[in-house]
Amino acid sequence: MKIESITLQHVSMPLIAPFETSFGRETDRQCVIIKIHSEGLAGYGECVATRDPGYNYETTGTSMHILKDFIAPSILGKDVKDALDFQERVAGIRGHHLAKAGLEMAIWDLLGKRAGKSLRQLLGGVREKVEVGVSIGIQESTQSLVRSAADFVEQGYARVKIKIKPGRDVEDTAAVRREFPSLRLQVDANSAYSMDDAPRLKPLDKLNLLLIEQPLFEDDIWDHHKFQAQFETPVCLDESILTPRHARYAIEMMACRIINIKAGRLGGLSQGVMVHDLCQGHQMPVWCGGMLETGIGRASNLALASLPNFVLPGDVSASDRYYARDITNERFVLNSDSTIDVPHAAGLGVTIDEEALKSFSLAQITL
Ligand code: OSB
Ligand code: MG
C-alpha cells in the first residue's frame, strides 16, 4: 500500500459542556485529523493529543510537529504493508504515542477499505455492540454532580465514572452512591494523589466501586502496587501503561487488577490489541478508555472494544454527550441496554462531513 499523500488538520470543536479533570478544564476539544491517500482510496485517523500537556506530555502542537517532520517522512512514498510494518518504520521515534496512533488508525481505515472488511473484523472483534458508560467531569458542586449523574442514568447509561481530585473525592463519590445504591460506579483521579493520600481515600473502599483509576503519578507502577495492597477495590491503570511491556510490569508487580486500554496512549491499535491479549492470558479484565473523540476515533474505540477481553463498559458515550456537530456523517447513539453498535462498513465504517471538518479547522498541511 503505497502512501501517496498525508494531510494533517488541526481542529477545535466546541464541547456541549466543559469537561474538567484533576489536570484542567476543556470547553473546546482540539485534536489532529489525519488523512492518507493510497491507490484511489482515503484513510482517516484521529490523533487524540490535546491542546495542553495535561493528560501526558503530547499536545496538538507536538503531534503536528512529530507527524510532519518525522512520521510522515518515514512512510511517504513507501509501501506500508500493515500496522506492524508501520510500527517498525517509526520505531526510531521515541515516545509520541498519540501521534503514531493517529497515523496507524488511518492505515487501518485504508486496509479495511481495500479488503472490504470492517475494523472490527480486522482486529478480531467478537461483538456487534459493546457496553458503554459515561465519564463525568468535576462539577461545580456535589449537588450538581449528583444531578448530572441522574441525568445520564435517565438517558440510559448503566455505568458512571466520576473524576476526582483532592478536596473533591470521597464526599462527591459517596453522594452519587447514596443516590444510586446499585449503579455501576467508578472513579478516575488522573494522577492527582500520592501515597500520603491513601489513608484519606480509604473510605472509597466502602462505596462498592468497580475500580479506582490512576490514583498516583502518571509514570508510576510501583507505588500503585503499594496502593493496591491497601485497597480492596481494584486499581485500574491508565496513564502509566504506555507499552505492552508496562502492562507486563503492572501484572507482575500486582500494581493493578484492571487496565484501561487507549490505542492512542499505547501508540496504536496494534499495541492496544497486544495489551488486550497479554491481559487476557493473565485473566486481567480490560476496558476501552476515551479521549473525547470525534466520530473517527469513536468508531475506532468501538471496534477495539469488541474484542473478547473488554469485559467492563468503555468510556465511549453517544455522540450527543460530546458534540452538537461532529465531523462524521454518522452519529453514535445509546441503545436501551447501555450499548453502542460497532460500525460494520469497511474500514472505520464512517464518512466525513467535509463542511463540518472545514468549519472546525485551525490549520492544515498536506505532505
Ligand atoms: O483519563 O480517561 C481519562 C478524557 C480526556 C483525557 C483523559 C481521560 C478522559 C476521559 C473522557 O475520561 C472519556 C470520554 O471520552 O468520554
Ligand atoms: Mg483515565
Side-chain angles (χ1 to χ4, degrees), residues 19 21 23 26 29 48 50 55 133-136 159 161 163 188-190 213-214 238-239 260 262 287-293 298 301 314-317 321-322:
F19 191 75
T21 61
F23 58 79
E26 284 174 277
R29 181 200 180 244
V48 298
T50 42
Y55 171 72
V134 64
S135 172
I136 307 181
R159 190 228 71 186
K161 160 169 137 181
K163 294 288 190 179
D188 186 1
N190 288 110
E213 185 176 347
Q214 195 73 35
D238 173 355
E239 281 88 334
N260 164 332
K262 290 179 181 170
W287 57 284
C288 185
M291 295 287 285
L292 312 175
E293 284 84 354
R298 194 162 311 285
N301 283 343
D315 273 350
V316 191
S317 312
R321 182 260 178 278
Y322 309 92

Side-chain angles (χ1 to χ4, degrees), residues 41-308:
L41 290 173
Y44 287 89
E46 174 172 346
C47 165
V48 298
T50 42
R51 193 194 63 178
D52 303 325
Y55 171 72
N56 66 14
Y57 66 82
E58 289 185 81
T59 66
T60 42
T62 67
S63 58
M64 286 291 275
H65 161 52
I66 294 291
L67 281 159
K68 169 173 148 297
D69 296 327
F70 297 100
I71 297 176
S74 352
I75 60 164
L76 259 179
K78 308 266 167 67
D79 181 27
V80 178
K81 284 171 195 64
D82 53 26
L84 291 181
D85 183 18
F86 166 74
Q87 289 293 337
E88 275 174 37
R89 291 174 190 273
V90 298
I93 303 166
R94 298 271 189 240
H96 297 283
H97 284 184
L98 306 183
K100 287 180 186 172
L103 202 296
E104 203 203 88
M105 193 191 297
I107 289 172
W108 282 106
D109 190 27
L110 264 182
L111 288 169
K113 285 170 175 166
R114 259 167 56 122
K117 287 189 175 167
S118 67
L119 180 60
R120 173 173 81 84
Q121 288 175 302
L122 295 182
L123 297 179
V126 295
R127 297 183 201 104
E128 297 195 341
K129 54 183 194 169
V130 299
E131 274 194 283
V132 302
V134 64
S135 172
I136 307 181
I138 293 163
Q139 304 295 308
E140 236 141 77
S141 65
T142 305
Q143 297 89 292
S144 49
L145 170 67
V146 172
R147 270 201 302 277
S148 175
D151 186 34
F152 285 117
V153 168
E154 175 77 15
Q155 288 175 39
Y157 289 101
R159 190 228 71 186
V160 167
K161 160 169 137 181
I162 63 176
K163 294 288 190 179
I164 57 169
K165 68 174 182 182
R168 295 298 300 278
D169 39 47
V170 172
E171 219 182 292
D172 272 19
T173 313
V176 175
R177 174 52 83 215
R178 262 196 305 279
E179 191 76 12
F180 301 101
S182 57
L183 177 66
R184 301 178 84 188
L185 184 64
Q186 62 194 58
V187 295
D188 186 1
N190 288 110
S191 305
Y193 300 96
S194 71
M195 272 310 285
D196 297 342
D197 300 306
R200 253 189 350 85
L201 292 173
K202 190 66 181 149
L204 289 175
D205 243 0
K206 291 272 170 297
L207 297 175
N208 185 26
L209 303 178
L210 288 174
L211 57 91
I212 301 172
E213 185 176 347
Q214 195 73 35
L216 311 179
F217 303 99
E218 81 287 352
D219 61 354
D220 170 81
I221 296 179
W222 181 244
D223 274 359
H224 278 100
H225 156 81
K226 295 188 191 166
F227 187 97
Q228 179 66 91
Q230 295 183 16
F231 283 74
E232 274 158 46
T233 310
V235 168
C236 169
L237 291 180
D238 173 355
E239 281 88 334
S240 298
I241 307 298
L242 301 174
T243 63
R245 203 163 34 76
H246 289 163
R248 177 172 63 76
Y249 298 160
I251 293 167
E252 290 179 2
M253 285 188 215
M254 297 187 286
C256 63
R257 296 198 198 120
I258 296 170
I259 287 180
N260 164 332
I261 294 187
K262 290 179 181 170
R265 192 191 70 226
L266 292 161
L269 286 157
S270 62
Q271 310 305 298
V273 172
M274 284 181 201
V275 173
H276 164 274
D277 294 349
L278 178 78
C279 290
Q280 190 170 30
H282 287 85
Q283 290 87 44
M284 181 176 284
V286 303
W287 57 284
C288 185
M291 295 287 285
L292 312 175
E293 284 84 354
T294 73
I296 296 174
R298 194 162 311 285
S300 170
N301 283 343
L302 289 164
L304 183 61
S306 74
L307 271 71

